[in-house]
Amino acid sequence: MTVKAEKAIGVVDDDDLRGTSTFIPLKQQHFVLVHGVGGGGWCWYKMRCLMENSGYKVSCIDLKSGGIGQSDADSVLSFDDYNKPLLDFMSALPKNEQVILVGHSAGGLSVTQACHKFANKIRLAVYVAATMLKLGFRTEDDLKTGVPDLSEFGDVYELGFGLGHDKPPTSAVVKKELQRKIIYHMSPHEDSTLAAMLLKPGPMLALNNAQFTEDDSDEVEKVPRVYIRTKHDKVVKPEQQDAMIKRWSPCTVYELDSDHSPFFSAPFLLFGLLIKAAASDVGCN
């Protein structure tokens, strides 16, 4: 089922939800927001404000080398190391607490790994213009579907070679002069300016080697999934999103008229969709 975001979103409170089969008071809903390549918890500042003002609990994760983290992306060589902050966060949650995981872009890989390892602690996984591959990058099709292809824009990356220039690059970031054109073309200039100041190289070698075993594939299927499709995305293009949706079908697909960064370009609509997902009966059956 595909649902387009409404032009106006009303406030959802406990009285709207009470009596439903999955009613959880707002103060008990806990969103965990996971950034994409080179980002950080700062990406979600608008969403965090909207959510907390509406009574939700919100945690914004800085993955290793992201956000305020001090690690150099060129030193982060494995996906397990990169995603350790999220896995440590999930491990520390009380056994009876469930969260709603939201991953943006490559943050979808982080969410999927958490679903493999902590299915019982995750009420819902939401992929926002995100890489949604059940087992990560295990085949050529996975790479074709899940890795952004920005070749149409020319030489877009500044690369880092932590293992030497004769080895594959260990980090990458889109050049500042191209970031707005590619990532934030529908976002306010204030936000793309902020991003240009804060965006850091991402550990590309670690991300491209993200793979998950089939040993716990039954666990990951226990977590209901929602995909939020970004209609004007130049990074994870709509046809790539559609291919991932077709290969590993989520319970619900929402659509936003936004660029790759709806937390900047369509924050109120994204907020409304996250509320809707949290308030609904998210089981796939």
Side-chain angles (χ1 to χ4, degrees), residues 17 20 22 74 76 92 103 106 120 135 165-166 182 215 220-221 267 271 278:
L17 310 182
T20 65
T22 56
D74 289 315
V76 181
N120 292 334
L135 299 177
H165 284 271
D166 59 334
I182 297 172
D215 296 343
V220 74
E221 292 292 357
F271 169 59

Side-chain angles (χ1 to χ4, degrees), residues 56-70:
Y56 291 93
K57 182 178 180 181
V58 182
S59 298
C60 299
I61 305 296
D62 279 335
L63 300 175
K64 194 166 183 179
S65 78
I68 63 172
Q70 297 300 305

Side-chain angles (χ1 to χ4, degrees), residues 139-246:
T139 69
E140 287 297 321
D141 281 345
D142 294 331
L143 290 167
K144 181 179 178 180
T145 303
V147 175
D149 178 7
L150 305 183
S151 58
E152 67 189 273
F153 300 103
D155 181 15
V156 303
Y157 291 116
E158 293 179 3
L159 301 174
F161 295 87
L163 299 177
H165 284 271
D166 59 334
K167 304 292 184 181
T170 47
S171 69
V173 63
V174 174
K175 294 176 180 178
K176 287 188 184 297
E177 62 269 23
L178 295 173
Q179 287 174 8
R180 178 166 180 81
K181 179 179 180 180
I182 297 172
I183 311 172
Y184 312 111
H185 65 282
M186 295 175 69
S187 301
H189 278 274
E190 295 90 339
D191 291 320
S192 60
T193 300
L194 175 70
M197 296 169 67
L198 297 177
L199 204 65
K200 299 165 67 175
M204 299 309 298
L205 184 64
L207 283 160
N208 289 339
N209 288 326
Q211 295 184 1
F212 318 125
T213 67
E214 296 190 44
D215 296 343
D216 49 9
S217 59
D218 289 341
E219 289 297 301
V220 74
E221 292 292 357
K222 294 179 182 178
V223 181
R225 285 171 291 110
V226 168
Y227 200 96
I228 298 181
R229 184 179 183 272
T230 42
K231 190 174 179 182
H232 306 288
D233 202 317
K234 296 182 180 180
V235 180
V236 184
K237 296 179 175 61
E239 54 267 28
Q240 289 180 288
Q241 298 180 50
D242 291 340
M244 289 186 285
I245 289 166
K246 183 177 180 179

Side-chain angles (χ1 to χ4, degrees), residues 4-283:
K4 289 190 177 181
E6 291 85 351
K7 294 297 183 183
I9 297 293
V11 175
V12 177
D13 59 24
D14 286 354
D15 290 336
D16 296 317
L17 310 182
R18 201 176 304 277
T20 65
S21 60
T22 56
F23 169 67
I24 300 175
L26 288 179
K27 64 181 180 180
Q28 295 180 22
Q29 299 273 18
H30 184 180
F31 283 86
V32 179
L33 310 180
V34 185
H35 63 82
V37 177
W42 59 267
C43 296
W44 303 101
Y45 80 96
K46 288 182 177 180
M47 302 309 301
R48 182 167 192 163
C49 183
L50 289 167
M51 288 179 170
E52 289 182 341
N53 286 344
S54 297
Y56 291 93
K57 182 178 180 181
V58 182
S59 298
C60 299
I61 305 296
D62 279 335
L63 300 175
K64 194 166 183 179
S65 78
I68 63 172
Q70 297 300 305
S71 299
D72 186 339
D74 289 315
S75 70
V76 181
L77 303 179
S78 75
F79 186 77
D80 286 349
D81 189 25
Y82 173 64
N83 204 32
K84 190 174 186 295
L86 176 60
L87 299 184
D88 287 348
F89 177 91
M90 295 299 301
S91 181
L93 286 173
K95 289 185 178 179
N96 62 345
E97 181 175 351
Q98 284 193 315
V99 299
I100 297 172
L101 276 186
V102 182
H104 172 249
S105 196
L109 292 165
S110 297
V111 167
T112 299
Q113 186 181 45
C115 290
H116 277 276
K117 294 180 178 296
F118 299 99
N120 292 334
K121 291 185 176 182
I122 303 168
R123 179 172 177 262
L124 175 67
V126 183
Y127 294 78
V128 182
T131 305
M132 185 176 67
L133 300 169
K134 182 177 179 179
L135 299 177
F137 296 121
R138 297 177 67 91
T139 69
E140 287 297 321
D141 281 345
D142 294 331
L143 290 167
K144 181 179 178 180
T145 303
V147 175
D149 178 7
L150 305 183
S151 58
E152 67 189 273
F153 300 103
D155 181 15
V156 303
Y157 291 116
E158 293 179 3
L159 301 174
F161 295 87
L163 299 177
H165 284 271
D166 59 334
K167 304 292 184 181
T170 47
S171 69
V173 63
V174 174
K175 294 176 180 178
K176 287 188 184 297
E177 62 269 23
L178 295 173
Q179 287 174 8
R180 178 166 180 81
K181 179 179 180 180
I182 297 172
I183 311 172
Y184 312 111
H185 65 282
M186 295 175 69
S187 301
H189 278 274
E190 295 90 339
D191 291 320
S192 60
T193 300
L194 175 70
M197 296 169 67
L198 297 177
L199 204 65
K200 299 165 67 175
M204 299 309 298
L205 184 64
L207 283 160
N208 289 339
N209 288 326
Q211 295 184 1
F212 318 125
T213 67
E214 296 190 44
D215 296 343
D216 49 9
S217 59
D218 289 341
E219 289 297 301
V220 74
E221 292 292 357
K222 294 179 182 178
V223 181
R225 285 171 291 110
V226 168
Y227 200 96
I228 298 181
R229 184 179 183 272
T230 42
K231 190 174 179 182
H232 306 288
D233 202 317
K234 296 182 180 180
V235 180
V236 184
K237 296 179 175 61
E239 54 267 28
Q240 289 180 288
Q241 298 180 50
D242 291 340
M244 289 186 285
I245 289 166
K246 183 177 180 179
R247 290 177 63 188
W248 192 29
S249 299
C251 303
T252 305
V253 177
Y254 297 114
E255 184 176 273
L256 280 175
D257 283 318
S258 79
D259 56 19
H260 185 60
S261 305
F263 41 73
F264 291 157
S265 60
F268 291 100
L269 291 175
L270 178 58
F271 169 59
L273 292 182
L274 292 176
I275 286 179
K276 182 180 290 188
S280 65
D281 187 345
V282 293

